[in-house]
Amino acid sequence: MSVLAVDIGASHVDLAWHDGRSVALVKHPRGGQGLAASVLAAVDACGRDPAGLAALRLATTLPLNALLGGKRARVALVTSQGFADVLALGRQNRADLHDPVARHPLAVLGAPLVAPGDVHCLTARADARGSVVAPVDPAALSALVAGLRADPPDAVAVSLVFGHLAPGLEHAVAEALRAAL
């Protein structure tokens, strides 16, 4: 019963293969290959048969490397009205909440993950029990879609308040965005 853990980085693929008795570690260069080809080449370099794998665990540092390297896409965020500042405020997890010069944990990135002008709000939201408090307003959604179509971002994230408890709200927004963009 073998388990394979794979970490895909910018320049290498790292493997840890556990077969129940021992662990094989492989660091294999990507060599300009695509992600799938890089992983398959690393598995070949490991010299073990993947046919008997019981589990495969995948991870990648590529997004983190892109963030730290300043190679970010322009992302728009659609959230519930009143929550536009959540990303900018963060969790307030600093040693001294009253320190006027405390650095925000994301300050190392040099710029916010989503620019303030790319945060868009809808009144749609659910409550903590998953009951829809405010449905998606078709007119507001149409205006949002038109604005994003006029100046399209590279990606759009949709995160409505308690959206995980009432996924239909986020799905409706995502479907409209997907159809238009």
Side-chain angles (χ1 to χ4, degrees), residues 36-55:
S38 298
V39 171
L40 292 174
V43 169
D44 286 344
C46 190
R48 298 199 179 184
D49 182 11
L53 279 177

Side-chain angles (χ1 to χ4, degrees), residues 124-146:
R125 65 179 292 165
D127 65 16
R129 291 185 190 93
S131 298
V132 174
V133 174
V136 175
D137 175 2
L141 182 57
S142 291
L144 169 70
V145 166

